[in-house]
Amino acid sequence: MSKQRLRLVVGNWKMHGRLAGNATFLEAVARGAAALPGSVQVGLCVPCPYLAQVQSLLEGSRVEWGVQDISAHVQGAYTGEVAAEMAVEFGSSFAIVGHSERRAYHRESVALVALKTERALAAGLTPIVCVGETLEERDAGLTQQIVGSQLGEVLAKLSVEAAARIVVAYEPVWAIGTGKSATAGQAQEVHAFLRKLLAEKGALVANVPLLYGGSVKPENARELFLQADIDGGLIGGASLKEQEFLAICKAADISGVE
Ligand code: PEP
């Protein structure tokens, strides 16, 4: 009997949320997630001020949580930054690193993203390492070169055992928040390339979960999740509405199809 592949769906709230609305949302998602099969894992990456609220409302549920960025430092005079260990103190499982909004608006380099990945792992978090090309880069035929160097820099810093503990999210910059998702075929093509790079690092790393992110909605989620190298999704806008987010989580249940 073939082993069922797990699917991971992680919401990225970005800079959204308020205490009252979060409570309704989190309770609904915790209830909805309870009905999902064990093959679907659910996470939410929230703004740091809400970690305590999320912990108190999701503890004991099927939903894990985390942060959208962490500092590359353990502690010290780094005003405004949040250490991975602080996120862990609030029960976090995940830290997104290298989101394209951080690369673009905060000039995060591939080297800094690699350092943050190391820090997350050292603190016991699962880093969700984002890679993706801009439209100009895609049009110039540079997609593989860009995502290859973004992932390559991270893999080069990690041992095989550490690399096996990351999650990678392919998020084409032109698809994020634009309503224009990559087609399942376009996403699968890049995922197959990323899978090859992971496998080159070592057999243990080949099965690292590869998420797709960029305008995933209930309508397109299933086709994306059915692709051979797409193991789930990183969900921005649609993770703000409980019904949409849960519908995407349900689409990740592809038992009976595999
Ligand atoms: C994201 O910000 O990670 C993302 C994928 O956003 P959206 O789903 O809104 O495109």
PDB file of all heavy atoms in Angstrom, residues 27-54:
ATOM      1  N   GLU A  27     -11.837  30.612  16.425  1.00  0.00           N
ATOM      2  CA  GLU A  27     -12.751  29.573  16.927  1.00  0.00           C
ATOM      3  C   GLU A  27     -13.365  28.799  15.770  1.00  0.00           C
ATOM      4  O   GLU A  27     -13.470  27.573  15.813  1.00  0.00           O
ATOM      5  CB  GLU A  27     -13.822  30.210  17.829  1.00  0.00           C
ATOM      6  CG  GLU A  27     -13.271  30.461  19.229  1.00  0.00           C
ATOM      7  CD  GLU A  27     -13.994  31.570  20.008  1.00  0.00           C
ATOM      8  OE1 GLU A  27     -15.034  32.076  19.526  1.00  0.00           O
ATOM      9  OE2 GLU A  27     -13.480  31.926  21.091  1.00  0.00           O
ATOM     10  N   ALA A  28     -13.736  29.511  14.708  1.00  0.00           N
ATOM     11  CA  ALA A  28     -14.346  28.837  13.546  1.00  0.00           C
ATOM     12  C   ALA A  28     -13.328  27.926  12.856  1.00  0.00           C
ATOM     13  O   ALA A  28     -13.646  26.797  12.461  1.00  0.00           O
ATOM     14  CB  ALA A  28     -14.874  29.882  12.565  1.00  0.00           C
ATOM     15  N   VAL A  29     -12.097  28.394  12.727  1.00  0.00           N
ATOM     16  CA  VAL A  29     -11.084  27.579  12.042  1.00  0.00           C
ATOM     17  C   VAL A  29     -10.732  26.351  12.891  1.00  0.00           C
ATOM     18  O   VAL A  29     -10.583  25.247  12.360  1.00  0.00           O
ATOM     19  CB  VAL A  29      -9.835  28.428  11.685  1.00  0.00           C
ATOM     20  CG1 VAL A  29      -8.684  27.556  11.227  1.00  0.00           C
ATOM     21  CG2 VAL A  29     -10.197  29.432  10.585  1.00  0.00           C
ATOM     22  N   ALA A  30     -10.641  26.535  14.189  1.00  0.00           N
ATOM     23  CA  ALA A  30     -10.339  25.373  15.060  1.00  0.00           C
ATOM     24  C   ALA A  30     -11.453  24.334  14.926  1.00  0.00           C
ATOM     25  O   ALA A  30     -11.175  23.138  14.805  1.00  0.00           O
ATOM     26  CB  ALA A  30     -10.188  25.825  16.509  1.00  0.00           C
ATOM     27  N   ARG A  31     -12.710  24.778  14.911  1.00  0.00           N
ATOM     28  CA  ARG A  31     -13.851  23.847  14.757  1.00  0.00           C
ATOM     29  C   ARG A  31     -13.788  23.153  13.395  1.00  0.00           C
ATOM     30  O   ARG A  31     -13.914  21.948  13.280  1.00  0.00           O
ATOM     31  CB  ARG A  31     -15.179  24.602  14.866  1.00  0.00           C
ATOM     32  CG  ARG A  31     -15.794  24.602  16.244  1.00  0.00           C
ATOM     33  CD  ARG A  31     -17.263  25.017  16.191  1.00  0.00           C
ATOM     34  NE  ARG A  31     -17.523  26.209  15.390  1.00  0.00           N
ATOM     35  CZ  ARG A  31     -17.381  27.466  15.832  1.00  0.00           C
ATOM     36  NH1 ARG A  31     -17.000  27.691  17.069  1.00  0.00           N
ATOM     37  NH2 ARG A  31     -17.638  28.499  15.041  1.00  0.00           N
ATOM     38  N   GLY A  32     -13.571  23.944  12.341  1.00  0.00           N
ATOM     39  CA  GLY A  32     -13.544  23.383  10.985  1.00  0.00           C
ATOM     40  C   GLY A  32     -12.386  22.418  10.793  1.00  0.00           C
ATOM     41  O   GLY A  32     -12.529  21.367  10.153  1.00  0.00           O
ATOM     42  N   ALA A  33     -11.260  22.743  11.375  1.00  0.00           N
ATOM     43  CA  ALA A  33     -10.073  21.895  11.196  1.00  0.00           C
ATOM     44  C   ALA A  33     -10.254  20.545  11.875  1.00  0.00           C
ATOM     45  O   ALA A  33      -9.669  19.538  11.452  1.00  0.00           O
ATOM     46  CB  ALA A  33      -8.828  22.602  11.729  1.00  0.00           C
ATOM     47  N   ALA A  34     -11.078  20.513  12.915  1.00  0.00           N
ATOM     48  CA  ALA A  34     -11.297  19.251  13.639  1.00  0.00           C
ATOM     49  C   ALA A  34     -11.903  18.207  12.716  1.00  0.00           C
ATOM     50  O   ALA A  34     -11.737  17.006  12.938  1.00  0.00           O
ATOM     51  CB  ALA A  34     -12.204  19.499  14.846  1.00  0.00           C
ATOM     52  N   ALA A  35     -12.592  18.642  11.674  1.00  0.00           N
ATOM     53  CA  ALA A  35     -13.260  17.695  10.769  1.00  0.00           C
ATOM     54  C   ALA A  35     -12.352  17.255   9.618  1.00  0.00           C
ATOM     55  O   ALA A  35     -12.748  16.424   8.796  1.00  0.00           O
ATOM     56  CB  ALA A  35     -14.521  18.351  10.210  1.00  0.00           C
ATOM     57  N   LEU A  36     -11.135  17.811   9.549  1.00  0.00           N
ATOM     58  CA  LEU A  36     -10.240  17.456   8.435  1.00  0.00           C
ATOM     59  C   LEU A  36      -9.550  16.126   8.714  1.00  0.00           C
ATOM     60  O   LEU A  36      -9.283  15.790   9.877  1.00  0.00           O
ATOM     61  CB  LEU A  36      -9.166  18.546   8.258  1.00  0.00           C
ATOM     62  CG  LEU A  36      -9.663  19.907   7.781  1.00  0.00           C
ATOM     63  CD1 LEU A  36      -8.549  20.949   7.928  1.00  0.00           C
ATOM     64  CD2 LEU A  36     -10.137  19.831   6.335  1.00  0.00           C
ATOM     65  N   PRO A  37      -9.219  15.374   7.666  1.00  0.00           N
ATOM     66  CA  PRO A  37      -8.492  14.128   7.894  1.00  0.00           C
ATOM     67  C   PRO A  37      -7.062  14.412   8.381  1.00  0.00           C
ATOM     68  O   PRO A  37      -6.540  15.515   8.175  1.00  0.00           O
ATOM     69  CB  PRO A  37      -8.475  13.473   6.515  1.00  0.00           C
ATOM     70  CG  PRO A  37      -8.629  14.600   5.570  1.00  0.00           C
ATOM     71  CD  PRO A  37      -9.444  15.653   6.255  1.00  0.00           C
ATOM     72  N   GLY A  38      -6.462  13.409   8.992  1.00  0.00           N
ATOM     73  CA  GLY A  38      -5.114  13.567   9.526  1.00  0.00           C
ATOM     74  C   GLY A  38      -4.073  13.876   8.467  1.00  0.00           C
ATOM     75  O   GLY A  38      -2.980  14.350   8.775  1.00  0.00           O
ATOM     76  N   SER A  39      -4.395  13.650   7.198  1.00  0.00           N
ATOM     77  CA  SER A  39      -3.436  13.919   6.121  1.00  0.00           C
ATOM     78  C   SER A  39      -3.310  15.413   5.819  1.00  0.00           C
ATOM     79  O   SER A  39      -2.443  15.824   5.063  1.00  0.00           O
ATOM     80  CB  SER A  39      -3.862  13.186   4.846  1.00  0.00           C
ATOM     81  OG  SER A  39      -5.139  13.649   4.453  1.00  0.00           O
ATOM     82  N   VAL A  40      -4.205  16.226   6.397  1.00  0.00           N
ATOM     83  CA  VAL A  40      -4.144  17.678   6.152  1.00  0.00           C
ATOM     84  C   VAL A  40      -3.693  18.379   7.434  1.00  0.00           C
ATOM     85  O   VAL A  40      -4.339  18.295   8.474  1.00  0.00           O
ATOM     86  CB  VAL A  40      -5.516  18.242   5.705  1.00  0.00           C
ATOM     87  CG1 VAL A  40      -5.405  19.747   5.457  1.00  0.00           C
ATOM     88  CG2 VAL A  40      -6.023  17.525   4.459  1.00  0.00           C
ATOM     89  N   GLN A  41      -2.576  19.070   7.318  1.00  0.00           N
ATOM     90  CA  GLN A  41      -2.020  19.821   8.456  1.00  0.00           C
ATOM     91  C   GLN A  41      -2.306  21.301   8.198  1.00  0.00           C
ATOM     92  O   GLN A  41      -2.157  21.767   7.063  1.00  0.00           O
ATOM     93  CB  GLN A  41      -0.516  19.553   8.499  1.00  0.00           C
ATOM     94  CG  GLN A  41       0.155  19.948   9.791  1.00  0.00           C
ATOM     95  CD  GLN A  41       1.686  19.836   9.688  1.00  0.00           C
ATOM     96  OE1 GLN A  41       2.226  19.252   8.736  1.00  0.00           O
ATOM     97  NE2 GLN A  41       2.376  20.405  10.654  1.00  0.00           N
ATOM     98  N   VAL A  42      -2.704  22.029   9.241  1.00  0.00           N
ATOM     99  CA  VAL A  42      -3.109  23.432   9.061  1.00  0.00           C
ATOM    100  C   VAL A  42      -2.273  24.333   9.963  1.00  0.00           C
ATOM    101  O   VAL A  42      -2.011  23.998  11.125  1.00  0.00           O
ATOM    102  CB  VAL A  42      -4.605  23.608   9.407  1.00  0.00           C
ATOM    103  CG1 VAL A  42      -5.045  25.059   9.172  1.00  0.00           C
ATOM    104  CG2 VAL A  42      -5.477  22.662   8.589  1.00  0.00           C
ATOM    105  N   GLY A  43      -1.867  25.473   9.427  1.00  0.00           N
ATOM    106  CA  GLY A  43      -1.117  26.444  10.222  1.00  0.00           C
ATOM    107  C   GLY A  43      -1.569  27.860   9.917  1.00  0.00           C
ATOM    108  O   GLY A  43      -2.160  28.121   8.864  1.00  0.00           O
ATOM    109  N   LEU A  44      -1.279  28.769  10.846  1.00  0.00           N
ATOM    110  CA  LEU A  44      -1.595  30.190  10.644  1.00  0.00           C
ATOM    111  C   LEU A  44      -0.414  31.021  11.110  1.00  0.00           C
ATOM    112  O   LEU A  44       0.033  30.863  12.258  1.00  0.00           O
ATOM    113  CB  LEU A  44      -2.812  30.593  11.483  1.00  0.00           C
ATOM    114  CG  LEU A  44      -4.194  30.191  10.970  1.00  0.00           C
ATOM    115  CD1 LEU A  44      -5.245  30.504  12.031  1.00  0.00           C
ATOM    116  CD2 LEU A  44      -4.524  30.911   9.657  1.00  0.00           C
ATOM    117  N   CYS A  45       0.110  31.871  10.246  1.00  0.00           N
ATOM    118  CA  CYS A  45       1.196  32.767  10.646  1.00  0.00           C
ATOM    119  C   CYS A  45       0.604  34.158  10.827  1.00  0.00           C
ATOM    120  O   CYS A  45       0.067  34.744   9.883  1.00  0.00           O
ATOM    121  CB  CYS A  45       2.316  32.745   9.606  1.00  0.00           C
ATOM    122  SG  CYS A  45       3.210  31.180   9.647  1.00  0.00           S
ATOM    123  N   VAL A  46       0.711  34.657  12.060  1.00  0.00           N
ATOM    124  CA  VAL A  46      -0.036  35.858  12.456  1.00  0.00           C
ATOM    125  C   VAL A  46       0.937  36.963  12.871  1.00  0.00           C
ATOM    126  O   VAL A  46       2.104  36.696  13.145  1.00  0.00           O
ATOM    127  CB  VAL A  46      -1.000  35.511  13.623  1.00  0.00           C
ATOM    128  CG1 VAL A  46      -1.948  34.385  13.221  1.00  0.00           C
ATOM    129  CG2 VAL A  46      -0.232  35.143  14.892  1.00  0.00           C
ATOM    130  N   PRO A  47       0.449  38.203  12.982  1.00  0.00           N
ATOM    131  CA  PRO A  47       1.306  39.264  13.523  1.00  0.00           C
ATOM    132  C   PRO A  47       1.673  38.939  14.981  1.00  0.00           C
ATOM    133  O   PRO A  47       0.824  38.463  15.748  1.00  0.00           O
ATOM    134  CB  PRO A  47       0.407  40.506  13.448  1.00  0.00           C
ATOM    135  CG  PRO A  47      -0.609  40.192  12.388  1.00  0.00           C
ATOM    136  CD  PRO A  47      -0.857  38.709  12.517  1.00  0.00           C
ATOM    137  N   CYS A  48       2.903  39.235  15.363  1.00  0.00           N
ATOM    138  CA  CYS A  48       3.393  38.842  16.704  1.00  0.00           C
ATOM    139  C   CYS A  48       2.510  39.294  17.874  1.00  0.00           C
ATOM    140  O   CYS A  48       2.357  38.530  18.837  1.00  0.00           O
ATOM    141  CB  CYS A  48       4.818  39.356  16.906  1.00  0.00           C
ATOM    142  SG  CYS A  48       5.957  38.431  15.882  1.00  0.00           S
ATOM    143  N   PRO A  49       1.902  40.498  17.834  1.00  0.00           N
ATOM    144  CA  PRO A  49       1.102  40.885  19.002  1.00  0.00           C
ATOM    145  C   PRO A  49      -0.071  39.947  19.272  1.00  0.00           C
ATOM    146  O   PRO A  49      -0.631  39.943  20.371  1.00  0.00           O
ATOM    147  CB  PRO A  49       0.584  42.282  18.633  1.00  0.00           C
ATOM    148  CG  PRO A  49       1.555  42.782  17.627  1.00  0.00           C
ATOM    149  CD  PRO A  49       2.004  41.574  16.856  1.00  0.00           C
ATOM    150  N   TYR A  50      -0.445  39.147  18.291  1.00  0.00           N
ATOM    151  CA  TYR A  50      -1.597  38.252  18.476  1.00  0.00           C
ATOM    152  C   TYR A  50      -1.196  36.833  18.869  1.00  0.00           C
ATOM    153  O   TYR A  50      -2.055  35.962  18.989  1.00  0.00           O
ATOM    154  CB  TYR A  50      -2.450  38.223  17.204  1.00  0.00           C
ATOM    155  CG  TYR A  50      -3.054  39.574  16.872  1.00  0.00           C
ATOM    156  CD1 TYR A  50      -2.984  40.091  15.591  1.00  0.00           C
ATOM    157  CD2 TYR A  50      -3.668  40.336  17.863  1.00  0.00           C
ATOM    158  CE1 TYR A  50      -3.514  41.339  15.297  1.00  0.00           C
ATOM    159  CE2 TYR A  50      -4.197  41.589  17.577  1.00  0.00           C
ATOM    160  CZ  TYR A  50      -4.120  42.086  16.295  1.00  0.00           C
ATOM    161  OH  TYR A  50      -4.644  43.312  16.014  1.00  0.00           O
ATOM    162  N   LEU A  51       0.090  36.600  19.069  1.00  0.00           N
ATOM    163  CA  LEU A  51       0.521  35.229  19.377  1.00  0.00           C
ATOM    164  C   LEU A  51      -0.132  34.686  20.651  1.00  0.00           C
ATOM    165  O   LEU A  51      -0.541  33.528  20.704  1.00  0.00           O
ATOM    166  CB  LEU A  51       2.047  35.164  19.521  1.00  0.00           C
ATOM    167  CG  LEU A  51       2.837  35.125  18.209  1.00  0.00           C
ATOM    168  CD1 LEU A  51       4.339  35.182  18.502  1.00  0.00           C
ATOM    169  CD2 LEU A  51       2.501  33.884  17.390  1.00  0.00           C
ATOM    170  N   ALA A  52      -0.251  35.537  21.682  1.00  0.00           N
ATOM    171  CA  ALA A  52      -0.830  35.056  22.945  1.00  0.00           C
ATOM    172  C   ALA A  52      -2.296  34.681  22.737  1.00  0.00           C
ATOM    173  O   ALA A  52      -2.772  33.652  23.228  1.00  0.00           O
ATOM    174  CB  ALA A  52      -0.695  36.123  24.028  1.00  0.00           C
ATOM    175  N   GLN A  53      -3.006  35.508  21.989  1.00  0.00           N
ATOM    176  CA  GLN A  53      -4.419  35.216  21.712  1.00  0.00           C
ATOM    177  C   GLN A  53      -4.555  33.915  20.922  1.00  0.00           C
ATOM    178  O   GLN A  53      -5.382  33.054  21.217  1.00  0.00           O
ATOM    179  CB  GLN A  53      -5.036  36.377  20.926  1.00  0.00           C
ATOM    180  CG  GLN A  53      -6.504  36.152  20.617  1.00  0.00           C
ATOM    181  CD  GLN A  53      -7.066  37.165  19.608  1.00  0.00           C
ATOM    182  OE1 GLN A  53      -6.338  37.653  18.754  1.00  0.00           O
ATOM    183  NE2 GLN A  53      -8.356  37.454  19.727  1.00  0.00           N
ATOM    184  N   VAL A  54      -3.724  33.785  19.904  1.00  0.00           N
ATOM    185  CA  VAL A  54      -3.777  32.590  19.055  1.00  0.00           C
ATOM    186  C   VAL A  54      -3.449  31.355  19.882  1.00  0.00           C
ATOM    187  O   VAL A  54      -4.117  30.323  19.792  1.00  0.00           O
ATOM    188  CB  VAL A  54      -2.797  32.767  17.865  1.00  0.00           C
ATOM    189  CG1 VAL A  54      -2.598  31.474  17.123  1.00  0.00           C
ATOM    190  CG2 VAL A  54      -3.321  33.845  16.924  1.00  0.00           C
TER     191      VAL A  54
END
